[in-house]
Amino acid sequence: MAKIYLDGEFVPEDEAKISVFDHGLLYGDGVFEGIRAYDGYVFKLDEHLDRLYRSARAIKLEIPLDRDEMEEKILETLRVNGFEEAYIRPVVTRGTGSLGIDIESCTDPSVIIISKEWEALYGPELYEEGLNLLTTTIRNQPKDGLPPTVKHLNYLTNVLALMQANTWGADEALMLDTNGNVSEGGADNVFVYRKNAVYTPPVINNLPGITRDVVIDLLNDLGYQVKEENLGLAEVLTADEVFLSGTAAEVAPVAEIDGRKIGDGEPGELALQVKEEFGKITGTEETGTRISQST
Ligand SMILES: *Cc1c(COP(=O)(O)O)cnc(C)c1O
């Protein structure tokens, strides 16, 4: 049974519990990260820590560990479990408080670090066949509401989006923003290849994905400029290729959206190329932080 880091201690999974008065549970008041370790190295750990602390600042949440301590606790969680390859989920909640929504009663934020041996988000056959997406009627939050650029615990928008997609037989949701611009997948960023150019929506109506940045770099290395521009749904539906990026999903080609075949309805060549290049840079010293203590 895996051990979970919970407020300073490592506890077995079935004993890792927090109060029913935690505002993370009551109000989705908190932030989180999704990180992966490959082959003994935590991929882009600095970038994930950076985003975690920015997310916390955005909601005025003071993380009780400093950055170095958080980094150490993440690595320690993996060591305690003997994981070289894992999905890691740090969560910081507002902590236990009154039933009121104000943050004043919550003086003790909780820090949780879950790690699990977990394969890619979608089944292996979906990476070979390409995903089937449904454009959901659930719009991503507008930037003047719940900020879509902050990785917070208020995830019901995404839950409802995926639920609707799954209800209608699709593997993943495609979300628009409240202006009708394409925003992102249920929990991944979206890339569109059409007429020899690659596009991805600018990070104002979607989450600034670490994988998104990595994919942009890989595309640049392959000789493609990536245009960060707003896209309408028609531009996506008539694209030559569409693919998703995310820590959990990695790089996932899309074969169909709303009953339309994307390109020839098979994973695109560029998507597969990016996926392959992505596989080459994980689990290395250049992109990762070593789990085992250096001697
Ligand atoms: C975490 C997340 C992503 C992907 O970000 P990565 O850093 O690449 O994992 C995209 N969209 C949403 C809504 C997310 O929560």
Side-chain angles (χ1 to χ4, degrees), residues 29 108 111 155 200 261:
D29 188 350
D108 231 351
V111 178
Y155 224 62
T200 192
K261 282 193 164 95

Side-chain angles (χ1 to χ4, degrees), residues 129-276:
E129 292 163 13
L131 299 173
N132 174 10
L133 306 192
L134 177 86
T135 307
T136 168
T137 57
I138 308 289
R139 298 296 176 100
N140 206 352
Q141 299 293 329
K143 63 180 187 296
D144 50 357
L146 258 185
T149 51
V150 175
K151 214 168 171 76
H152 52 66
L153 292 182
N154 235 296
Y155 224 62
L156 200 49
T157 304
N158 311 64
V159 170
L160 294 178
L162 180 64
M163 182 180 81
Q164 190 179 40
N166 288 163
T167 299
W168 295 101
D171 307 307
E172 183 54 275
L174 179 67
M175 276 195 291
L176 308 182
D177 67 16
T178 50
N179 295 315
N181 294 313
V182 170
S183 158
E184 60 182 331
D188 349 83
N189 296 105
V190 60
F191 285 84
V192 171
Y193 179 51
R194 52 178 287 128
K195 298 187 177 176
N196 296 315
V198 186
Y199 302 85
T200 192
V203 275
I204 186 68
N205 70 358
N206 56 75
L207 204 281
I210 311 285
T211 321
R212 176 186 182 277
D213 288 343
V214 169
V215 165
I216 289 174
D217 286 347
L218 290 174
L219 283 162
N220 289 342
D221 290 347
L222 291 170
Y224 296 88
Q225 288 286 335
V226 179
K227 300 181 190 183
E228 299 185 53
E229 283 177 21
N230 278 319
L231 296 160
L233 183 57
E235 278 65 60
V236 180
L237 294 177
T238 58
D240 301 313
E241 294 190 24
V242 175
F243 51 98
L244 302 178
S245 75
T247 297
E250 300 177 320
V251 179
V254 173
E256 189 178 324
I257 306 176
D258 300 346
R260 275 89 149 177
K261 282 193 164 95
I262 301 303
D264 58 6
E266 303 275 329
E269 246 171 73
L270 184 60
L272 292 176
Q273 211 176 349
V274 172
K275 184 173 172 345
E276 190 183 327

